[in-house]
Amino acid sequence: MYQSSYLNKLFEDVKKKYSSEPEFISAVEEFFDSMDYMVDDEPNIEKYAILERILIPERVISFRVAWVDDKGKVQVNKGWRVQFNSAIGPYKGGIRFDSSVNLSILKFLAFEQTFKNSLTGLPLGGGKGGADFTPRGRSDEEIMRFCQAYVSELFRHIGPDTDVPAGDFGVGAREIGYMYGMYKKLSNDFVGTFTGKGISYGGSLGRKEATGYGLLYFVSEMLKTFHNDTLKGKRVIISGSGKVGKHAAVKAHALGAKVVAMSDINGFVYDENGLDVPLIDKLSEPKGEYSLEYMKIYPEAKFVPTPKLMWGMPCDIALPCATQNEIDLEDAMKLKANGCYMLVEGANMPTAVEAIRFCNENGILFAPGKASNAGGVAVSGLEMSQNAMHLSWTYQEVDQKLEQIMKNIFRKCHETAQKYGQPKNLALGANIAGFIKVYDAMLQEGVI
Ligand code: GLU
C-alpha cells in the first residue's frame, strides 16, 4: 500500500492490465515506492497523466526472425524493440538474446533504462530490444545469420537520432559487428546507429569495461561518503560471468579489494584469501566460464556447484552482475547475517523488491542498477558523441569522463535522497532524480 491514493489506484490498474508481465510489474512497484515520496506534492503529475503515459511504451515493434541453421533447417524466433520514452533524447538501450526473453522482460528493462539514461546527464531516451534466441552453443555462422535476419527488420525503425541499440545479455562485440554490418548495408549509411562497436569501425575505447568499472567508481563514492573509507581490503563477492562481473572484478582488484567469491553458470568459487582475478580474467575469455578451469589450477579453493548459494558467503560488499531476480529476501537476510553492509547492482534489477526493502530497513546500503550500472550506457553516449564528431578519444579521456559521470550520478542520487529525508536510500534518489528530468521534458513537450 502506498501513502498516495493516486499511486494505489494506478498500481492496481498496472497489476490488472499487465498480469502476464511479472518483471514489468516488479519494476513499476519498485519505482512507485519512490514516487510515493513526491507524487502528492506535484499536482502536475496527475493533472497531465505523466505516470499513466510513462508506463506505456511510445512504441513496441514485434517481429518474426526467420533464418537457416547449419543443418539447413529453417528456424523461427520472436524479435522485439521496445521504444519506451524519447522525452529527453533518441531511444537508447541494449539488445538481449536469450531463450528467456519476452515482452515483460524487455518492457521492464526499457522502463528502467529510461531513468538510468536520464541519470547519466546525457541526452538519451529509453529503449530495449531482443529476441528469444540463445547464442550459446550456436556456430559463428549461425549467429551471423541470426543477427542479419534480426536487423533486416529492425533497421527500418532505428537511426543515429531515432534509436541506438547496443549490447546486453547474449549480445557482445561479435553480435554488434554482424548487426551493424547488415544495418550499414541496408541503410547505405555509415553512422553511429549502434554502440559497443569494434574499435576499427567507430567503437569507443573503454566501452567494454565501462559497466564494470563504472560500478566500482560508484561503490568507491558510496564508501567515501557513508563510511569515509575505500575499497582497500574489502571482501567483495560478484555474480555473473559476463562482461559486467568480469570487469567489476578487475577494477575491484585494482582498487585493492579482495574478491573472495565469483560465480559463473556452473557454480561459484570461494577463497577467503582472495581469488586470482587476473587468472579469472584470462580464463573467462571467450565463453565467460571460468570456475571449473580455476579449480584445476587452485584445487585448495572452494567450489560450490550452485551459483545462488554464493549469497550465503561472508563478505562486506555484494555485487550482483548476472541477471534479474538473483537475490530474494532470503538471500538478503543471509547477506546481512554474514556481515555484508553494501549491495550494489551491476545487473538490471537483480534484487527483488522485498529484498531491497529489507536492505533499507536493516542497514545494508543498497544502490539500484539504474544508477550503479549506468556506466555502460554512459560510455555508449560518449561513443555516439565521438561518432557524431567523426573523431575518437583516448582510453584515458573516456575513462576520466566515465569516472566523472559515475560521481555525478552518485551525487544526484544522494542529494535527492537527502532532500526527501532518506539520505541512505539511493533507490529513492535514483528514481526521483531520473524521473524529474523526463517529467520536466514531458511537461514542456505537451501532451503527445
Ligand atoms: N545493456 C546496457 C544497459 O543495461 C547498455 C545499454 C547501452 O549501452 O545502450 O544499460
Side-chain angles (χ1 to χ4, degrees), residues 92-94 113 116 128 166-168 195 207 348 376-377 380:
K92 178 82 195 90
Q113 195 84 41
K116 181 195 305 196
K128 205 88 188 187
D168 196 78
T195 62
R207 173 63 188 89
N348 292 313
V377 74
S380 278

Side-chain angles (χ1 to χ4, degrees), residues 66-75 138-139 141-142 145:
W67 55 288
V68 180
D69 71 15
D70 284 349
K71 295 192 185 97
K73 188 170 177 311
V74 176
Q75 297 279 348
R138 290 286 179 190
S139 72
E141 291 71 25
E142 288 181 314
R145 288 195 293 274

Side-chain angles (χ1 to χ4, degrees), residues 296-374:
K296 285 188 201 151
I297 299 167
Y298 284 102
E300 67 279 15
K302 183 177 160 126
F303 174 73
V304 179
T306 315
K308 197 173 163 56
L309 294 179
M310 190 181 72
W311 306 122
M313 303 313 286
C315 70
D316 300 305
I317 300 169
L319 305 177
C321 297
T323 190
Q324 67 270 3
N325 294 326
E326 292 180 59
I327 297 186
D328 54 26
L329 177 59
E330 210 179 300
D331 298 323
M333 290 162 93
K334 278 197 238 160
L335 283 168
K336 173 76 190 166
N338 286 296
C340 175
Y341 58 87
M342 267 171 64
L343 169 49
V344 189
E345 294 186 333
N348 292 313
M349 210 173 73
T351 319
V353 185
E354 304 75 44
I356 297 176
R357 289 177 185 147
F358 175 85
C359 290
N360 285 331
E361 285 156 16
N362 291 277
I364 297 184
L365 270 174
F366 170 81
K370 58 171 81 79
S372 47
N373 79 20

Side-chain angles (χ1 to χ4, degrees), residues 81 91-96 109 112-113 116-117 124-125 127-128 164-169 171 194-196 207 211 243-244 346-348 369-370 373-381 383-384:
R81 183 75 183 164
Y91 308 109
K92 178 82 195 90
I95 290 179
R96 179 176 288 198
L109 287 165
E112 298 246 298
Q113 195 84 41
K116 181 195 305 196
N117 294 0
L124 305 169
K128 205 88 188 187
V164 183
D168 196 78
F169 204 96
V171 176
F194 282 79
T195 62
R207 173 63 188 89
T211 313
K243 299 181 285 290
V244 185
N348 292 313
K370 58 171 81 79
N373 79 20
V377 74
V379 174
S380 278
E383 183 173 331
M384 289 162 70

Side-chain angles (χ1 to χ4, degrees), residues 261-309:
M262 281 182 75
S263 65
D264 68 6
I265 193 161
N266 302 307
F268 74 88
V269 283
Y270 174 79
D271 187 337
E272 62 178 356
N273 299 313
L275 297 169
D276 183 343
V277 173
L279 177 68
I280 291 182
D281 184 18
K282 221 164 48 205
L283 293 177
S284 64
E285 286 300 329
K287 285 204 310 197
E289 291 173 34
Y290 45 78
S291 62
L292 303 178
E293 284 300 310
Y294 189 91
M295 291 310 296
K296 285 188 201 151
I297 299 167
Y298 284 102
E300 67 279 15
K302 183 177 160 126
F303 174 73
V304 179
T306 315
K308 197 173 163 56
L309 294 179

Side-chain angles (χ1 to χ4, degrees), residues 85-93 113-114 116-127 159-164 377-378 380-385 388 405 412 437-438 441 445:
N85 192 295
S86 64
I88 63 166
Y91 308 109
K92 178 82 195 90
Q113 195 84 41
T114 301
K116 181 195 305 196
N117 294 0
S118 162
L119 281 170
T120 65
L122 301 170
L124 305 169
D161 297 313
T162 309
D163 184 353
V164 183
V377 74
S380 278
L382 302 182
E383 183 173 331
M384 289 162 70
S385 306
I405 290 173
K412 269 186 240 175
K437 188 172 170 194
V438 177
E445 289 171 14

